Amino acid sequence: MRGQSPDLPRRPCAGPAVWRGQDLSAAPDWALHLSPARLDELDAALRTVRARGTPLLKVTADHFPLPTLAGELRSAADELENGRGFVLVRGIPVERYSEEAAAVLLWGVGQHLGIPVSQDATGHMLGHLRDGPDVRAPLSPRTEAADALALLCLRATGSSGRTTLVSSAAVHNAVLARRPELLDGLHRTHFLDRRGEQLPGRLPWQAVPLAHRDGERLSLRYDRGRLESAQRYPEVPRLSSAERELFDLMDETASSPELRLDIDLAPGDLLLLNNHAVMHARTPHEEAAGHEHPCHLLQLWLTLHHPRSLPPEFWGDEHSRTGGRGGVAPRDVITPHPPTKGKPHVRPLRTPGAIRPVPR
């Protein structure tokens, strides 16, 4: 059943999380360029992990010491939560690292920002994003199912690493200016397709509000693809014409040249963003199609160490099941085999924490 819209004041969001891409592109002070001394700290932290022989999933911030860079990462985390909602770190020399070392580096940096959460039902904590056959197809702006997202670019082909960011609060304000009567729809219960990754015995869709307003701060979760694909289940209420109008207007606004910020990620770029404050999309270019070495990014989902307060229903029934907040709750999958010497044999499907390719 649809939840009732609260009596929310219809006023624009305010603060640093409200920005326009055309303004930021003219003054890119949102990029953090690492100095040689900070890069030396990353190298030293990697050597420390190797010397200790610590398994990847056991690496903590203490195992990955960053004497001065840790302070800059704390400032970056504050910017994610209380500022514009994203930071671009530039200049990590990924060309000198193996893929495994780059994964350790991203994991170690992530430990200083928050708690990694699972990205799928088999418990993968690190994902690989690679351009596939549909490289020329743009993706609609959306949020991921976690507080924060970290993307480390390992390889880009021409301008194939293009990522589009847009302020969720700015999209809210634009919808408010054009169709204020539609905004209440964001605070009603909506249904997101779990795409087969639900826990055993759970429903294949998730019922959640799309927005939460705390004073001037808006928190938004939005994925048009999952909203639409949930309609395949007969138990899920049909999207109304007003809801489709709202989503169409959000998509149009989020893709507008005035609001969106296009960033061409280069190897060594680390993009950090707060999913509650910023929507993102990847829009690879034509020259990457069929290229021998496609664009390659490592992806990490995080619960920030000091996250904003959100009601439990914002994450639905997977709240606090992933070790952090958000993410996809891993299944404890048991594969039965014929009994051996009177005892049943059980085998986990996958050890949580392996690195996986992320389908486009």
Side-chain angles (χ1 to χ4, degrees):
M1 227 180 136
R2 301 274 173 142
Q4 296 299 310
S5 172
D7 184 20
L8 293 171
R10 287 182 182 168
R11 66 176 185 273
C13 299
V18 184
W19 48 263
R20 301 193 310 164
Q22 65 179 13
D23 297 331
L24 294 189
S25 61
D29 60 350
W30 33 267
L32 171 63
H33 296 267
L34 295 183
S35 67
R38 303 297 185 268
L39 298 180
D40 288 344
E41 286 188 17
L42 290 174
D43 283 343
L46 281 172
R47 289 195 297 270
T48 298
V49 171
R50 289 195 188 101
R52 291 179 174 177
T54 307
L56 175 66
L57 296 186
K58 298 293 186 181
V59 173
T60 67
D62 289 337
H63 296 127
F64 201 85
L66 299 171
T68 57
L69 182 55
E72 294 188 41
L73 291 175
R74 285 192 294 271
S75 296
D78 184 69
E79 183 67 31
L80 297 187
E81 191 55 67
N82 301 305
R84 65 177 63 92
F86 76 95
V87 174
L88 180 63
V89 180
R90 304 206 110 144
I92 298 174
V94 293
E95 69 280 355
R96 74 168 71 153
Y97 303 131
S98 67
E99 192 172 290
E100 292 75 15
V104 173
L105 185 149
L106 178 59
W107 181 272
V109 168
Q111 290 291 318
H112 288 271
L113 296 167
I115 303 168
V117 295
S118 171
Q119 297 177 32
D120 67 9
T122 57
H124 289 102
M125 308 292 280
L126 274 168
H128 288 266
L129 294 173
R130 289 184 172 94
D131 291 332
D134 61 342
V135 68
R136 286 168 288 182
L139 302 177
S140 300
R142 70 191 189 283
T143 63
E144 303 289 2
D147 279 342
L149 171 67
L151 288 174
L152 175 62
C153 183
L154 301 184
R155 184 171 56 245
T157 303
S159 53
S160 67
R162 175 156 294 182
T163 297
T164 294
L165 307 181
V166 64
S167 160
S168 296
V171 171
H172 169 279
N173 289 354
V175 173
L176 176 64
R178 292 175 59 178
R179 297 289 304 277
E181 75 280 4
L182 296 178
L183 272 181
D184 286 349
L186 285 178
H187 299 269
R188 299 192 185 107
T189 300
H190 288 276
F191 300 84
L192 300 174
D193 191 354
R194 282 194 164 115
R195 295 176 174 169
E197 293 201 315
Q198 67 272 12
L199 292 172
R202 296 282 180 174
L203 294 170
W205 39 263
Q206 189 177 30
V208 293
L210 298 185
H212 175 70
R213 186 77 180 265
D214 182 10
E216 298 300 330
R217 182 157 64 182
L218 175 76
S219 299
L220 180 72
R221 61 180 307 175
Y222 180 71
D223 188 330
R224 182 73 179 269
R226 294 178 65 198
L227 286 163
E228 293 283 1
S229 62
Q231 294 290 291
R232 62 190 168 128
Y233 300 110
E235 303 90 343
V236 171
R238 302 302 89 184
L239 289 171
S240 68
S241 59
E243 288 168 331
R244 290 189 180 277
E245 285 184 66
L246 170 63
F247 300 154
D248 287 344
L249 184 54
M250 289 177 65
D251 290 346
E252 174 192 340
T253 304
S255 301
S256 68
E258 294 80 16
L259 292 192
R260 77 171 194 259
L261 175 66
D262 294 330
I263 301 174
D264 289 328
L265 294 179
D269 284 350
L270 172 60
L271 177 63
L272 308 171
L273 64 86
N274 188 323
N275 279 302
H276 306 307
V278 178
M279 290 189 284
H280 72 282
R282 291 188 61 224
T283 53
H285 282 192
E286 291 187 11
E287 61 264 31
H291 198 278
E292 183 180 357
H293 300 290
C295 184
H296 182 190
L297 300 97
L298 285 178
Q299 175 175 267
L300 189 65
W301 288 2
L302 294 164
T303 297
L304 296 174
H305 286 312
H306 302 287
R308 66 186 59 190
S309 177
L310 288 168
E313 62 267 20
F314 195 76
W315 290 114
D317 59 6
E318 291 191 359
H319 181 64
S320 298
R321 288 177 175 267
T322 59
R325 186 170 71 171
V328 180
R331 300 189 189 114
D332 294 323
V333 178
I334 302 298
T335 304
H337 289 266
T340 302
K341 295 183 180 181
K343 294 183 179 181
H345 175 74
V346 296
R347 177 175 61 86
L349 176 65
R350 186 70 62 86
T351 301
I355 301 175
R356 66 146 184 162
V358 178
R360 290 288 312 280

